[in-house]
Amino acid sequence: MRILSLLCVCFLSSFVSNVSAQVVEKVFDILGRDSLSVQRNITVSDSDSIRLVDIQAELAAAKLNEANLRMEVEQMKLAAFVADSLKLAKQKHRIDSLRIVTQGIPVVVDNDTLFYFYAKRGGHTPQQRAENVANDITELGKRFNLQPDSLYIESSDIVTDVMYDNKVIVSFTDLDGLWENCSRDQLAASKRLVIVEKLRLMKEEHGMLQLCKRIIYFVLVLIGQFLLFWGTNWLFRKLKVRIVRLRNTRLKPFSIQDYELLDTQKQVKLLIFLANLVRYVFMFLQLLLTVPLLFSIFPQTKSLAYLLLSYIWEPIRSILVGIVSYIPNLFTIFVIYMAIRYLVRLVRYLAGEVQSERLKLRGFYPDWAIPTYHIIRFLLYAFMIAMIYPYLPGSNSGVFQGISVFVGLIVSLGSSTVIGNIIAGLVITYMRPFKIGDRIKLNDTTGNVVEKTPLVTRIRTPKNEVVTIPNSFVMSSHTVNFSQSAREYGLIIHSEVSIGYDVPWRVVNKLLIEAALNTPGVVDDPRPFVLSTSLSDWYPVYQVNAYIKDADCLAEIYSDLHQNIQDRFNEAGVEIMSPHYMAVRDGNASTIPSNENIAEDEI
């Protein structure tokens, strides 16, 4: 608006000046012609006098018009000045109100803040202006032939520039001056001094003397790094010699029971390897500190030094920050773990009490205690993992969740048989078909149960053969438990003999009962008994039955019973009709062994 007013004033001034010049020229032209006409005509006529009077009247009117135009121009200038003053006052009032809440954008050069920008200019924001000025000053300060005092100021109608070698370093407008409570020329002059002082410092820093010093520092750092490497290798060689000497002095073979895990030679190799590893780690740390130090010596590579340090420090800082920020979650995990741990201990104590029958629960058998404890412990730990999972680092990431789903899918698809055996093991536990140590018969396998796991059951046969049977097979098969019957009411063993019809059955029953009572492992109460199971064409069949309490000795008891039966029948002179014998003799000798043969067998 102010510019438009100034243009109007200039136009009116030029217009008035042109009009005045034309009037004067016309008057002089008339007067000149009149003078010539007077010289030519000595006599003046009345018509000429009238014309002269008209011209003078026109000249007076022109002067009056010129004065009026000048007055109008002055009035327009005054109005424009008043309008500009009002606009300026409004802008200043607005800027004063914004200055409280508006922060300036600093122009930072080498970590030094020179001045601030508050206003836009030419479509550039204050941030862009500050960055461009900082870059120009930095580039100018790195020149070897820099003359800071050559910085000068040029002003135009709308802007004041601080320049160096026909290059604009920074420009200030009237709005910038309002923000600083001064004119733009005053602002440019004050900021020029600030820039000059900064350029002088930068010239000293980037001068030839400083360059020589930096080169010397660079060489000294290289020499120091070489000496550190040499010293590290020298210490390693000395340490290696000491380690080798320890083989014959202090080092002793390291053994676990009868197995020699590490002899002295292996210990020496392990110590040398660890020392060599420490050496390389120490040398690597030296390089991590030396390389950024070398780059930081020269200003041109100082940013690269900071970049290298950031590559080293940022991972370390992120790890440390992550550890510090993870401490609350870690504390929560610790509290959950300790609570579950002591709860498991409580369940284990109760299971021990139930197993030892100090604590009795109605309908709950003592042999259920430990399996139930294992199930509850598994469920508690599973619940603990479910509670801890959200507090694990990275648990919210898609990768972590995808891996968890993938692992769960693999387990679910590939472990159907395993899960079936585990479920069968649980069912077998609470079915109580057998216990550890029981003598059982599982299909064609007979033996003692030596191990019962969630997946399989292991049986040791009387021939010391260990048979591993999956729990799912145990569930689908019938099981005979000899030990349970023997413990509760006695296990009945039986054996059959065939005696001829010529021997009274009472004699046979007496001999069989005597043979059973004389058998080790057979109890007297209840007493053995004999059953006549069949009357065949050639002989009747007698079955002797006896009670035993120790099912583990079943094979030995059967063997002793059969031996006693033979002895008792041979002593009584009763012939056992197995294999088949006919009652009519045809000259064959009796099957009863003679006393001589018995004596020879005993010998």
Side-chain angles (χ1 to χ4, degrees):
M1 185 67 182
R2 183 180 179 184
I3 296 172
L4 182 61
S5 302
L6 292 175
L7 291 176
C8 293
V9 171
C10 294
F11 175 74
L12 291 175
S13 300
S14 61
F15 176 75
V16 173
S17 300
N18 291 333
V19 172
S20 301
Q22 291 176 3
V23 173
V24 173
E25 184 179 357
K26 185 174 182 181
V27 172
F28 285 157
D29 188 17
I30 295 172
L31 292 177
R33 288 199 301 268
D34 290 341
S35 300
L36 292 176
S37 64
V38 171
Q39 290 177 2
R40 292 175 183 175
N41 302 311
I42 298 173
T43 60
V44 178
S45 61
D46 293 335
S47 60
D48 293 337
S49 300
I50 295 171
R51 186 178 180 183
L52 181 59
V53 172
D54 294 336
I55 291 173
Q56 290 176 350
E58 291 178 359
L59 181 59
K63 290 181 178 181
L64 182 60
N65 291 332
E66 181 181 1
N68 292 332
L69 288 174
R70 289 182 182 276
M71 185 177 294
E72 291 178 0
V73 169
E74 292 297 330
Q75 291 178 353
M76 292 178 64
K77 286 182 179 181
L78 181 60
F81 179 76
V82 171
D84 290 341
S85 299
L86 293 175
K87 182 180 179 181
L88 186 63
K90 291 181 180 180
Q91 287 182 343
K92 186 174 181 181
H93 178 71
R94 182 172 177 271
I95 289 173
D96 290 338
S97 61
L98 291 175
R99 188 179 287 110
I100 301 174
V101 296
T102 303
Q103 295 181 352
I105 305 302
V107 178
V108 181
V109 179
D110 290 344
N111 297 324
D112 290 338
T113 301
L114 303 183
F115 49 88
Y116 294 86
F117 280 119
Y118 297 90
K120 297 181 179 179
R121 181 185 179 275
H124 294 282
T125 62
Q127 291 85 352
Q128 294 173 340
R129 293 179 66 188
E131 291 177 0
N132 295 333
V133 172
N135 294 332
D136 292 339
I137 295 175
T138 302
E139 182 181 355
L140 182 61
K142 293 180 180 180
R143 294 185 183 181
F144 288 103
N145 58 349
L146 175 65
Q147 298 296 329
D149 293 331
S150 299
L151 216 65
Y152 62 94
I153 297 175
E154 282 192 0
S155 298
S156 62
D157 293 336
I158 58 175
V159 71
T160 300
D161 299 324
V162 178
M163 306 183 65
Y164 183 87
D165 283 346
N166 297 324
K167 180 181 179 180
V168 177
I169 304 300
V170 59
S171 299
F172 296 101
T173 61
D174 292 328
L175 193 57
D176 293 327
L178 288 176
W179 278 98
E180 298 289 344
N181 291 323
C182 61
S183 65
R184 54 185 169 90
D185 293 333
Q186 294 174 348
L187 180 61
S190 62
K191 302 310 178 186
R192 174 189 172 276
L193 297 177
V194 175
I195 297 174
V196 168
E197 184 64 25
K198 182 60 181 178
L199 291 176
R200 287 175 180 172
L201 295 176
M202 295 181 70
K203 181 179 180 181
E204 294 178 358
E205 184 179 357
H206 296 84
M208 187 59 66
L209 180 61
Q210 291 294 330
L211 180 61
C212 294
K213 290 181 180 179
R214 291 189 178 97
I215 293 175
I216 294 173
Y217 294 155
F218 186 83
V219 174
L220 290 177
V221 172
L222 289 179
I223 294 173
Q225 183 60 58
F226 172 78
L227 292 176
L228 285 175
F229 278 174
W230 181 84
T232 303
N233 291 325
W234 180 80
L235 288 175
F236 173 75
R237 289 192 296 270
K238 291 292 185 181
L239 182 60
K240 184 177 179 181
V241 173
R242 294 290 298 274
I243 291 173
V244 173
R245 290 178 181 176
L246 290 175
R247 180 175 57 185
N248 301 324
T249 57
R250 297 185 178 181
L251 293 180
K252 296 181 180 179
F254 180 75
S255 301
I256 299 178
Q257 295 182 353
D258 295 334
Y259 175 69
E260 188 177 40
L261 182 62
L262 291 175
D263 56 11
T264 55
Q265 183 65 27
K266 292 180 180 179
Q267 292 182 28
V268 168
K269 291 182 179 179
L270 180 60
L271 291 176
I272 291 175
F273 171 77
L274 294 176
N276 201 11
L277 181 63
V278 172
R279 178 183 66 158
Y280 286 126
V281 170
F282 187 65
M283 294 173 68
F284 178 72
L285 292 177
Q286 293 175 8
L287 287 177
L288 289 181
L289 296 176
T290 304
V291 173
L293 182 61
L294 290 174
F295 283 113
S296 64
I297 292 175
F298 297 95
Q300 292 80 3
T301 58
K302 185 177 292 186
S303 60
L304 183 59
Y306 294 147
L307 183 62
L308 292 175
L309 284 175
S310 66
Y311 288 158
I312 301 170
W313 171 244
E314 284 300 325
I316 298 175
R317 186 184 66 83
S318 61
I319 292 174
L320 294 177
V321 171
I323 292 174
V324 173
S325 60
Y326 190 70
I327 288 177
N329 293 339
L330 189 63
F331 181 75
T332 303
I333 292 174
F334 177 76
V335 172
I336 294 173
Y337 169 75
M338 293 304 296
I340 298 297
R341 181 181 178 183
Y342 283 103
L343 188 58
V344 169
R345 285 188 176 183
L346 176 62
V347 176
R348 180 68 181 88
Y349 171 75
L350 294 177
E353 294 294 311
V354 173
Q355 186 182 24
S356 62
E357 298 186 5
R358 288 190 294 268
L359 176 62
K360 295 182 179 180
L361 300 177
R362 182 178 299 178
F364 194 89
Y365 296 96
D367 55 327
W368 286 357
I370 298 303
T372 305
Y373 158 71
H374 290 303
I375 294 172
I376 295 176
R377 182 181 63 176
F378 173 77
L379 295 176
L380 287 175
Y381 281 131
F383 178 69
M384 181 188 70
I385 293 174
M387 292 180 63
I388 290 176
Y389 180 84
Y391 298 98
L392 295 177
S395 60
N396 295 326
S397 64
V399 176
F400 194 89
Q401 296 174 355
I403 293 175
S404 302
V405 173
F406 179 72
V407 172
L409 182 63
I410 290 177
V411 171
S412 62
L413 293 178
S415 60
S416 58
T417 304
V418 176
I419 299 300
N421 285 325
I422 292 175
I423 299 300
L426 293 176
V427 174
I428 290 172
T429 298
Y430 290 96
M431 284 175 57
R432 303 178 69 242
F434 50 79
K435 298 189 299 183
I436 300 296
D438 285 355
R439 173 65 66 90
I440 66 171
K441 182 179 180 181
L442 185 63
N443 285 357
D444 296 332
T445 303
T446 301
N448 294 85
V449 179
V450 295
E451 187 180 6
K452 185 170 62 174
T453 67
L455 298 177
V456 298
T457 299
R458 290 184 173 88
I459 299 175
R460 186 178 66 245
T461 66
K463 304 300 183 182
N464 283 335
E465 299 168 342
V466 177
V467 181
T468 301
I469 304 173
N471 287 333
S472 58
F473 180 78
V474 177
M475 278 289 298
S476 61
S477 303
H478 64 277
T479 304
V480 178
N481 193 328
F482 299 110
S483 298
Q484 184 176 0
S485 298
R487 283 192 303 267
E488 293 181 0
Y489 37 79
L491 178 66
I492 298 177
I493 63 173
H494 65 278
S495 182
E496 293 182 348
V497 293
S498 55
I499 307 299
Y501 283 104
D502 55 340
V503 180
W505 63 268
R506 293 179 178 85
V507 174
V508 175
N509 288 356
K510 178 182 177 181
L511 293 175
L512 289 176
I513 291 173
E514 290 178 355
L517 291 174
N518 291 329
T519 302
V522 175
V523 298
D524 296 337
D525 187 19
R527 287 182 61 81
F529 60 93
V530 178
L531 299 176
S532 297
T533 59
S534 67
L535 298 174
S536 300
D537 293 339
W538 309 103
Y539 47 78
V541 178
Y542 300 92
Q543 185 185 82
V544 59
N545 296 267
Y547 291 88
I548 65 173
K549 293 293 185 179
D550 189 4
D552 293 340
C553 300
L554 188 63
E556 292 84 350
I557 294 174
Y558 265 113
S559 177
D560 293 340
L561 176 63
H562 294 156
Q563 292 174 3
N564 289 332
I565 290 173
Q566 293 183 64
D567 291 340
R568 295 301 300 165
F569 275 77
N570 292 336
E571 291 175 357
V574 178
E575 192 176 18
I576 299 175
M577 306 301 290
S578 296
H580 301 170
Y581 292 98
M582 296 181 64
V584 179
R585 296 292 179 179
D586 55 359
N588 292 330
S590 175
T591 60
I592 300 173
S594 62
N595 294 330
E596 296 177 358
N597 294 335
I598 295 174
E600 290 178 358
D601 292 339
E602 291 178 354
I603 293 173

